[in-house]
Amino acid sequence: MSAPAAPAARSTGARPAVSRRRPARADHAQRRAPWLLLAPFLVLFALTFVLPIVYAVGQSFTRVERQGLFGEDGITSRFAGLDNYERALGDPAFVDSIWRVLLFGVVQVPVMIVAVTILALLLESASAKWPAFFRAAYFAPYGIPGVIASILWSFLYLPGFSPIVAGLQALGFAPDFLGPQTVLWSIANIVTWSYAGYNMLIVIAQLKAIPGEVYEAAKVDGAGPFRLAWSVQLPLIRPALVLTTVFSIIGTLQLFAEPQVMRAVSPAIDVKYTPNFAAYSSAFSYNDYGVAAAQAVVIALAAFVLSFVFLRLVSRRDS
Amino acid sequence: MTAVRPEEDRLATIGAVQRTPQRGATRPPAARTIIVTAVLALVAVYFLVPVYWVVVAASKSTEDLFTTNGFWFAGFQLFENVGQVFAFDDGIFVRWFFNSLLYAGGGALVATYLAAAGGYALAVYDFKGRDLVFGLILGGVLVPGTATALPLFLMFSNLGLTDSYLGVLLPSFVSPFGFFLCRIFAGAVVPASLVESARLDGAGELRIFHTFGLRMMVPALVTVFLFQFVGIWNNYLLPLIMLADEQLYPITVGLVNWRAQTDRLPEFYELTTAGVLVSVVPLVVLMVVLQRFWRGGLTEGSVKG
């Protein structure tokens, strides 16, 4: 099971009840205390998570009408039913953007997770020299914000500027990192570069939690390194792989900074290249908050459904 | 370096295991060590080359940027370029840097304290609605941050909070993931007997949290702080949406603005590359130095369950 689901089970193992006989005043203080401690978090959580979601859902069913040419005669909002959703999903560019990130996710997430797993296993194997150095090198890009990584890579993709493009051209290739067919995978490279090290650390953490006796037993059974990785380590690090996959799926649906920055160098990227980019453009380029809200709701629902389906698929294989 | 220690312990245990049963296969064959290390080194090149390129590019003049080999130094003027970054537009870059520090540092500090208090409350007290609260916040972990950014802007613009420090800080004060980690950690390290004996000594409930609870939760708090710090530092969409005034920008939004001007004004190439270098260095150093804490906390989150 994934980590987020685990503590629910844990919390049912309640702590030993506090002693029964005590003055009423102390009892009262103890009943109040958890809410006092929780209050600031809950208030801000309501303000920045619950209310915006409620507001977005409300907005997605609302149409704003401006009277007069520029709305100078007042603005009225009224219930619009599913109009905004119809308009959002009736826009082929938005639907295309959904398919685009799905294709991206189907390729990039497995490639990254497999690569990360292999790297983690190699780093934790007895055959690796200087594991601490390599681990640090792989993790370093996580400290670079996605937009800055995108600026950096957009320079490295740019013909006439990038030494990588120049080098490949000198070798007789004609690389085109920014064309309509390739730019999606250039973005996939930026995302992988940014997050692989972070995911690798999660997998390594779980590898380190495997008790020494397990390795001992495998050794006694005469398992070689491949056998050890396949039948002992992989099954034991499954929770970490599930966790990283779910977070990667959510991340894929949120893609925004990378395409927004890459648009400056690639004409193949339009303002509706990813669902999130489309929602941003609806709100700020077209001032169409109703459709933007509907798009945001669709993205959040998709993230939720995909994560849920994935968790179900994984847990079915368990039983 | 302390980060290496547990690794060595583990290798030592495996070594010991290997030594006892069969004497033959104690060490991996040299050929395998060479191949594995070569693969790891190749991957390291992939991760480090862009960083190396920025260092080289940031040390060049605009002219050399376009005319000389991008992977080698030419006419080294790194310090002039960095000086220019700091001086440009009355030091706007320095201001962005401190804004980022304020958003990330202040946001993460408050977020850590609030998550600690809430997580502690759920772990130590048994009360009605506890599971409901936990379930609600757990749902928050799965909500994409960008899904809330847009409606947050619309809400905050009604409240007059957009284009202010608070517009970015308020959402940064909340970390459902941090809450989750604190809840698990407090459940594991704060003993009920200690809370009870502190009560018998007459300590108030809040006082017990502040004197004992917080101190025992320090390892988890460091992790929560780091996660939130990097999360806010790396955030782009929220400040982009919330802020119009250049003076309030964090480094991410500011640098993208510079990047966008390179098309018309080539000298911005130089400013942008040197600016990227200056902004990347502190965080990469922080990442590498604090690696140990990341691992500790991640283990807490992903393995404990």
Side-chain angles (χ1 to χ4, degrees), chain A residues 4 14 35 38 43 46 62 137 151 167 174 191 217 305:
Chain A
W35 292 109
L38 273 169
V43 168
T62 306
I151 292 177
V191 173
V305 168

Side-chain angles (χ1 to χ4, degrees), chain A residues 49-172:
Chain A
F49 272 82
V50 182
L51 280 179
I53 292 170
V54 172
Y55 189 86
V57 171
Q59 198 80 9
S60 73
F61 289 109
T62 306
R63 195 207 325 267
V64 177
E65 276 166 2
R66 294 178 174 80
Q67 270 79 37
L69 199 53
F70 303 104
E72 71 272 16
D73 299 332
I75 294 170
T76 50
S77 325
R78 57 185 190 82
F79 182 69
L82 290 171
D83 274 11
N84 289 325
Y85 288 93
E86 258 169 47
R87 282 201 294 149
L89 294 170
D91 176 4
F94 182 66
V95 176
D96 281 353
S97 75
I98 295 177
W99 286 114
R100 191 172 291 122
V101 290
L102 283 180
L103 173 67
F104 181 101
V106 164
V107 176
Q108 189 266 339
V109 175
V111 166
M112 177 172 71
I113 300 295
V114 168
V116 155
T117 310
I118 294 174
L119 283 181
L121 287 171
L122 287 180
L123 276 175
E124 286 293 290
S125 78
S127 304
K129 278 207 175 302
W130 315 296
F133 165 75
F134 288 126
R135 215 172 37 218
Y138 302 168
F139 185 52
Y142 183 60
I144 301 175
V147 257
I148 304 219
S150 304
I151 292 177
L152 226 170
W153 278 100
S154 75
F155 285 146
L156 288 173
Y157 291 145
L158 198 61
F161 190 71
S162 158
I164 293 178
V165 174
L168 286 171
Q169 278 167 345
L171 291 174

Side-chain angles (χ1 to χ4, degrees), chain A residues 15 138 189 208 254 260, chain B residues 7 40 46 123 146 236 259:
Chain A
R15 335 197 108 244
Y138 302 168
N189 173 57
K208 284 190 185 300
Q254 296 193 71
Q260 203 228 11
Chain B
E7 168 94 347
L40 291 176
Y46 166 70
T146 54
Y236 170 65
R259 168 73 181 87

Side-chain angles (χ1 to χ4, degrees), chain B residues 48-286:
Chain B
L48 294 179
V49 153
V51 179
Y52 167 76
W53 176 81
V54 175
V55 177
V56 174
S59 73
K60 287 182 177 173
S61 66
T62 306
E63 234 184 288
D64 285 341
L65 259 181
F66 287 92
T67 52
T68 60
N69 180 352
F71 282 142
W72 199 244
F73 294 92
F76 190 83
Q77 54 165 43
L78 175 65
F79 300 107
E80 290 92 319
N81 287 346
V82 170
Q84 241 182 3
V85 166
F86 289 141
F88 185 80
D89 204 2
D90 289 332
I92 188 88
F93 185 87
V94 180
R95 174 138 188 158
W96 292 340
F97 191 88
F98 281 106
N99 285 342
S100 272
L101 214 58
L102 173 75
Y103 292 132
L109 203 66
V110 175
T112 307
Y113 174 77
L114 297 184
Y120 172 91
L122 284 204
V124 168
Y125 299 94
D126 201 354
F127 58 95
K128 222 184 196 163
R130 184 171 77 157
D131 291 343
L132 182 75
V133 168
F134 192 62
L136 187 72
I137 292 162
L138 214 53
V141 176
L142 289 179
V143 173
T146 54
T148 53
L150 201 68
L152 257 178
F153 166 78
L154 300 177
M155 266 177 56
F156 278 15
S157 65
N158 289 334
L159 299 171
L161 282 170
T162 49
D163 210 13
S164 71
Y165 281 111
L166 267 186
V168 175
L169 275 172
L170 277 178
S172 307
F173 287 156
V174 187
S175 164
F177 188 61
F179 184 97
F180 164 73
L181 280 183
C182 285
R183 159 72 185 85
I184 306 288
F185 197 80
V189 302
V190 181
S193 57
L194 186 112
V195 174
E196 189 58 20
S197 68
R199 269 181 202 141
L200 291 177
D201 288 344
E205 301 293 324
L206 294 183
R207 175 111 185 263
I208 298 174
F209 164 67
H210 285 109
T211 47
F212 296 110
L214 270 185
R215 201 171 309 155
M216 291 171 132
M217 289 163 72
V218 161
L221 301 187
V222 173
T223 307
V224 171
F225 179 86
L226 285 176
F227 262 112
Q228 191 66 358
F229 187 95
V230 174
I232 302 168
W233 185 279
N234 288 358
N235 198 348
Y236 170 65
L237 183 63
L238 182 72
L240 175 73
I241 290 179
M242 283 291 172
L243 305 173
D245 182 358
E246 210 181 47
Q247 299 287 323
L248 301 179
Y249 281 177
I251 236 167
T252 45
V253 181
L255 273 178
V256 171
N257 255 19
W258 278 5
R259 168 73 181 87
Q261 309 200 38
T262 53
D263 293 338
R264 286 174 292 116
L265 307 161
E267 68 263 32
F268 271 93
Y269 274 109
E270 204 182 277
L271 278 175
T272 311
T273 46
V276 165
L277 177 67
V278 174
S279 71
V280 156
V281 167
L283 262 277
V284 169
V285 170
L286 195 75

Side-chain angles (χ1 to χ4, degrees), chain A:
Chain A
M1 241 352 251
S2 81
R10 269 178 148 258
S11 66
T12 51
R15 335 197 108 244
V18 284
S19 63
R20 314 254 160 248
R21 307 219 49 81
R22 52 175 48 261
R25 203 158 48 86
D27 249 2
H28 180 68
Q30 267 181 52
R31 268 203 307 277
R32 226 180 36 178
W35 292 109
L36 274 179
L37 288 164
L38 273 169
F41 184 93
L42 286 182
V43 168
L44 282 170
F45 184 77
L47 180 73
T48 59
F49 272 82
V50 182
L51 280 179
I53 292 170
V54 172
Y55 189 86
V57 171
Q59 198 80 9
S60 73
F61 289 109
T62 306
R63 195 207 325 267
V64 177
E65 276 166 2
R66 294 178 174 80
Q67 270 79 37
L69 199 53
F70 303 104
E72 71 272 16
D73 299 332
I75 294 170
T76 50
S77 325
R78 57 185 190 82
F79 182 69
L82 290 171
D83 274 11
N84 289 325
Y85 288 93
E86 258 169 47
R87 282 201 294 149
L89 294 170
D91 176 4
F94 182 66
V95 176
D96 281 353
S97 75
I98 295 177
W99 286 114
R100 191 172 291 122
V101 290
L102 283 180
L103 173 67
F104 181 101
V106 164
V107 176
Q108 189 266 339
V109 175
V111 166
M112 177 172 71
I113 300 295
V114 168
V116 155
T117 310
I118 294 174
L119 283 181
L121 287 171
L122 287 180
L123 276 175
E124 286 293 290
S125 78
S127 304
K129 278 207 175 302
W130 315 296
F133 165 75
F134 288 126
R135 215 172 37 218
Y138 302 168
F139 185 52
Y142 183 60
I144 301 175
V147 257
I148 304 219
S150 304
I151 292 177
L152 226 170
W153 278 100
S154 75
F155 285 146
L156 288 173
Y157 291 145
L158 198 61
F161 190 71
S162 158
I164 293 178
V165 174
L168 286 171
Q169 278 167 345
L171 291 174
F173 296 99
D176 175 18
F177 293 117
L178 304 170
Q181 301 303 318
T182 47
V183 74
L184 186 65
W185 310 116
S186 300
I187 293 173
N189 173 57
I190 301 176
V191 173
T192 308
W193 185 79
S194 298
Y195 294 103
Y198 165 74
N199 287 319
M200 182 200 67
L201 272 203
I202 297 182
V203 175
I204 286 185
Q206 188 127 44
L207 274 174
K208 284 190 185 300
I210 299 175
E213 302 90 70
V214 174
Y215 287 97
E216 201 171 326
K219 204 81 208 172
V220 171
D221 290 346
F226 290 104
R227 193 63 209 281
L228 181 75
W230 187 256
S231 358
V232 177
Q233 289 170 308
L234 273 183
L236 286 173
I237 58 172
R238 257 191 50 163
L241 298 180
V242 172
L243 182 77
T244 48
T245 307
V246 168
F247 282 149
S248 301
I249 292 172
I250 297 175
T252 301
L253 282 161
Q254 296 193 71
L255 274 178
F256 171 76
E258 290 82 1
Q260 203 228 11
V261 170
M262 290 284 287
R263 204 171 111 77
V265 290
S266 172
I269 297 177
D270 59 19
V271 295
K272 295 176 179 173
Y273 197 71
T274 63
N276 222 343
F277 203 168
Y280 173 84
S281 306
S282 301
F284 297 103
S285 306
Y286 305 115
N287 279 324
D288 200 340
Y289 295 128
V291 167
Q295 287 168 327
V297 170
V298 168
I299 296 165
L301 273 181
F304 195 74
V305 168
L306 280 181
S307 310
F308 187 75
V309 166
F310 178 76
L311 287 174
R312 277 302 285 270
L313 281 178
V314 173
S315 61
R316 181 165 323 151
R317 263 190 47 199
D318 274 345
S319 48

